[in-house]
Amino acid sequence: MKLTVLVDNNTLIDRYFLGEPGLSFLIEDSGLKVLFDVGYSDIFITNARKMGINLLDIDYLVLSHGHLDHTWGLDPLVRHFTEARIEGLPQGSPGLVAHPLALRSKRIDGVGEIGSLLSREKLKEHFELRLSSPPLWLNENLVFLGEIPRRYGFEGRDALGDVLNAEGYEEPDLLFDDTALACKTRKGLVVITGCSHSGICNIIEYAKEVCREERVLDVIGGFHLLEPPEIQVQGTLEYLQNLKPECVHACHCTDLSSKIELAKVVNLKEVGVGLQLEYG
C-alpha cells in the first residue's frame, strides 16, 4: 500500500507544494486508487498535478466526515471531471463512500454552514453514492470503518455545532459521521484518519476489531487534539503507550503541545504535503 499526502496544514521542507488547514490523501493498494478527503479548496488537484498524479482514474472517493476542511474540495473535483469529459480525456466513474450523515447540512454559531456545499442529491449526479454505517470493504485489504463505537469516556463525547436531522431540524452535532480507513499489511494495520472527532483510540480499537488484527503498524491523519483537556491527553497517551505502534504520523488537527506529548510515548514522524509512505 502506498499513501501520498495531497493536503495537510504543513508542507515538507524544500518541497514546493501548497498547504491549507485541511486534509487529503491518495491511497493506492493492489491496483485500487482511493482519494481520502478533498481538503478545503482545489489545491489537492494542483499538488497532485505537480507530483505527476492522475486523479481522473480513482476508484473511490472516501469522506472521513462532513466538515468543510475535508469536503469543500468536492466542487473543484466535480469540475475537474467535467472539464476532462469536455476535453475527451479518459476517466473512471468513482464511487463516493461516506457515512449517511456526512452530507447533511452542518452549522456553527457565528460562522454558518461548515458542512458540504454539495448536497447528497447533487453529488448523485456525479458519483455512485455508497453511504454506509457498517464497515465497507473496498478490496481485500482496505476497509471503510463506518460508524465508530464510542468506547472510551475521555474522547468522542463533545458536540461541535449543529446538524440537520432527517426531519430538517437542527440538533447538536456529535459527529457520528466521523470515520476512518484501515488497511491490512503483513506487519499490521495502517489506520488512516481525517479528524478523529469520534476519538483516535475509539477508531484504532474498532479498526482492530473489524480487521481481526491486534498489530498496528502506523496511524496517520488528524487526531483532533487541539488544546485537549488533560483527561483526554492522558487517556490517549496511555492507550498509545500500551498499543506500541511502529510509528505514528499525527497531523492536521493535532497541535504542537499534543505532538510533543505524543513523541514521549510513540515514534512520532513528520507529515506534510508531498510525503509518500509505502507499506509492505
Side-chain angles (χ1 to χ4, degrees):
M1 190 267 278
K2 180 179 179 181
L3 185 149
T4 302
V5 178
L6 299 179
V7 176
D8 182 39
N9 298 44
N10 301 305
T11 63
L12 293 184
I13 295 172
D14 290 335
R15 301 290 297 279
Y16 297 97
F17 300 114
L18 300 175
E20 67 184 9
L23 184 137
S24 179
F25 298 153
L26 180 69
I27 299 145
E28 299 169 86
D29 180 73
S30 303
L32 188 78
K33 290 182 71 172
V34 177
L35 182 61
F36 180 71
D37 286 344
V38 289
Y40 178 79
S41 69
D42 64 350
I43 70 168
F44 72 102
I45 299 172
T46 301
N47 289 332
R49 282 174 174 154
K50 294 180 76 170
M51 295 180 213
I53 293 172
N54 179 20
L55 295 179
L56 293 174
D57 62 352
I58 59 171
D59 299 289
Y60 290 105
L61 165 62
V62 175
L63 299 179
S64 66
H65 64 299
H67 277 162
L68 73 174
D69 47 341
H70 300 258
T71 67
W72 279 19
L74 283 170
D75 180 76
L77 183 64
V78 168
R79 285 187 277 118
H80 186 53
F81 273 87
T82 300
E83 290 163 11
R85 282 193 293 273
I86 291 171
E87 297 303 321
L89 299 176
Q91 60 183 271
S93 300
L96 192 162
V97 179
H99 187 282
L101 298 178
L103 300 177
R104 295 265 175 90
S105 179
K106 295 173 179 284
R107 301 169 185 173
I108 193 166
D109 288 345
V111 177
E113 181 64 60
I114 61 168
S116 172
L117 295 178
L118 294 181
S119 67
R120 175 174 176 170
E121 290 68 29
K122 183 59 66 176
L123 287 167
K124 282 172 61 177
E125 299 176 15
H126 302 280
F127 304 100
E128 177 191 353
L129 299 191
R130 300 186 67 181
L131 305 181
S132 180
S133 295
L136 180 66
W137 288 89
L138 306 183
N139 69 5
E140 61 182 6
N141 298 320
L142 191 63
V143 62
F144 169 79
L145 293 176
E147 190 163 321
I148 307 296
R150 312 289 173 101
R151 293 170 174 162
Y152 292 97
F154 58 81
E155 63 178 5
R157 302 290 178 176
D158 297 330
L160 180 58
D162 298 297
V163 63
L164 287 185
N165 62 26
E167 287 73 40
Y169 296 103
E170 291 187 5
E171 59 186 34
D173 189 4
L174 292 169
L175 277 299
F176 290 123
D177 56 312
D178 181 83
T179 186
L181 293 173
C183 186
K184 297 169 65 175
T185 77
R186 288 184 291 107
K187 297 178 67 177
L189 296 179
V190 176
V191 181
I192 304 159
T193 71
C195 265
S196 303
H197 291 284
S198 53
I200 189 62
C201 305
N202 289 326
I203 289 170
I204 297 169
E205 270 309 289
Y206 193 50
K208 289 164 56 181
E209 176 184 321
V210 170
C211 297
R212 299 181 181 180
E213 172 63 83
E214 289 297 313
R215 300 171 302 157
V216 175
L217 174 62
D218 194 0
V219 185
I220 179 168
F223 280 29
H224 198 58
L225 295 174
L226 294 168
E227 300 182 350
E230 184 63 22
I231 187 174
Q232 184 179 359
V233 174
Q234 290 307 312
T236 302
L237 294 179
E238 289 174 13
Y239 176 86
L240 291 173
Q241 191 167 30
N242 291 328
L243 182 71
K244 295 180 174 62
E246 186 170 302
C247 60
V248 166
H249 289 83
C251 61
H252 180 44
C253 53
T254 313
D255 63 26
L256 178 59
S257 61
S258 296
K259 288 180 181 178
I260 291 171
E261 293 302 310
L262 288 169
K264 295 176 182 178
V265 299
V266 296
N267 180 20
L268 188 69
K269 298 289 190 177
E270 186 175 9
V271 183
V273 179
L275 178 67
Q276 291 189 316
L277 300 169
E278 294 196 33
Y279 308 92

